[in-house]
């Protein structure tokens, strides 16, 4: 019987898989949650759904092919009841710092593989897709949009196709700047969120999850 059929008292497992933004030092953390948005979400569930189990399987530096390679043991085999996928910025970053680009077509094919695997192995579970982002702290990071924006567009299209909600970081940034944030107060290096940036991510995740949570 599916976990959702047992009612609110049944413990459910939430898996967060991605790159360093998800990782956030989890291997230096005794609770293996890291010190970023996943921990903040775990604290929310500890208060409001204490039986829930939050698992962080982020690995710094990962790109879509890395998630494809480890998606079984680090996601599907954990029997998740909720899955969050957050990947993409390194698929852009490596083009600029290592001359190792990922084409939009390869990016989409790998991302589609992840979603196909979820559809087959965990049908019906909520899947949230966090859009990768950069903040324009300087001209170099602003140039990343040339590569990243088409990949974000493909994630949006896949989300519509599969019926998954996105955690819309583009909207998050618009609201944050309107509230007085600067690019550096959200991600000091343009990529890795500050404490405030992780808080904004966690809030945006909770907002998106509320639209698909079967227990609401």
């Amino acid at each position: 019987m599916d976990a959702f059929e047992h009612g609110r008292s049944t413990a459910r497992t939430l898996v967060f898989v991605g790159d360093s933004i998800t990782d956030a030092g989890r291997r230096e953390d005794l609770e293996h949650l890291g010190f970023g948005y996943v921990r903040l979400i775990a604290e929310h569930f500890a208060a409001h759904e204490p039986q829930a189990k939050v698992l962080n399987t982020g690995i710094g530096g990962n790109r879509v092919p890395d998630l494809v390679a480890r998606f079984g043991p680090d996601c599907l085999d954990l029997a998740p009841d909720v899955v969050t996928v957050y990947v993409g910025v390194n698929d852009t970053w490596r083009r600029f710092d290592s001359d190792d680009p990922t084409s939009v077509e390869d990016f989409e094919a790998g991302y589609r593989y992840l979603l196909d695997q979820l559809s087959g192995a965990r049908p019906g579970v909520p899947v949230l897709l966090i859009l990768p982002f950069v903040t324009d702290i300087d001209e170099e990071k602003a140039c990343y949009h040339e590569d990243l924006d088409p990949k974000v567009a493909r994630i949006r299209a896949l989300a519509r196709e599969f019926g998954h909600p996105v955690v819309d970081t583009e909207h998050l940034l618009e609201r944050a700047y309107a509230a007085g944030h600067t690019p550096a107060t959200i991600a000091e290096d343009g990529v890795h969120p500050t404490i405030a940036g992780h808080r904004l991510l966690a809030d945006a995740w909770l907002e998106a999850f509320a639209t698909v949570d079967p227990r609401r």
Side-chain angles (χ1 to χ4, degrees):
M1 182 179 290
D2 191 279
F4 299 139
E5 297 178 26
H6 288 287
R8 294 186 64 86
S9 62
T10 301
R12 56 180 169 176
T13 298
L14 297 86
V15 172
F16 293 79
V17 60
D19 55 31
S20 60
I21 301 171
T22 298
D23 183 334
R26 67 178 175 88
R27 283 159 289 185
E28 290 76 51
D29 173 21
L30 294 178
E31 296 179 287
H32 306 292
L33 292 169
F35 305 98
Y37 79 96
V38 177
R39 170 168 288 281
L40 295 172
I41 292 168
E43 290 172 353
H44 171 89
F45 277 89
H48 300 286
E49 192 180 319
Q51 292 180 312
K53 180 167 60 173
V54 175
L55 301 177
N56 182 344
T57 64
I59 295 180
N62 267 195
R63 294 189 279 182
V64 163
D66 300 301
L67 262 62
V68 167
R70 65 184 182 90
F71 206 57
D74 285 353
C75 184
L76 302 178
D77 295 352
L78 302 175
D81 302 299
V82 180
V83 174
T84 299
V85 178
Y86 190 3
V87 69
V89 72
N90 289 316
D91 297 82
T92 285
W93 203 350
R94 296 294 84 83
R95 168 187 165 183
F96 292 91
D97 72 353
S98 303
D99 192 24
D100 184 13
T102 301
S103 72
V104 173
E105 293 75 20
D106 287 346
F107 180 85
E108 179 180 8
Y111 211 113
R112 179 182 294 278
Y113 173 86
L114 302 178
L115 301 185
D116 281 336
Q117 292 296 300
L118 281 167
S119 295
R122 302 298 292 169
V125 304
V127 177
L128 288 83
L129 310 179
I130 303 182
L131 302 180
F133 71 93
V134 294
T135 62
D136 300 347
I137 59 166
D138 53 34
E139 290 186 8
E140 178 189 0
K141 287 299 189 296
C143 289
Y144 283 23
H145 289 286
E146 173 194 347
D147 188 275
L148 184 61
D149 290 357
K151 293 179 170 68
V152 169
R154 296 297 176 95
I155 296 174
R156 288 188 182 276
L158 287 168
R160 290 191 296 270
E161 178 182 339
F162 283 83
H164 299 323
V166 298
V167 179
D168 194 335
T169 55
E170 292 181 324
H171 188 207
L172 178 160
L173 291 175
E174 290 174 2
R175 291 190 298 183
Y177 295 147
H181 275 286
T182 68
T185 63
I186 297 169
E188 192 171 8
D189 66 353
V191 172
H192 297 94
T194 60
I195 293 172
H198 276 292
R199 177 74 264 175
L200 292 170
L201 270 176
D203 289 347
W205 185 94
L206 290 167
E207 183 179 334
F209 182 57
T211 67
V212 294
D213 184 0
R215 300 193 180 188
R216 287 179 61 84

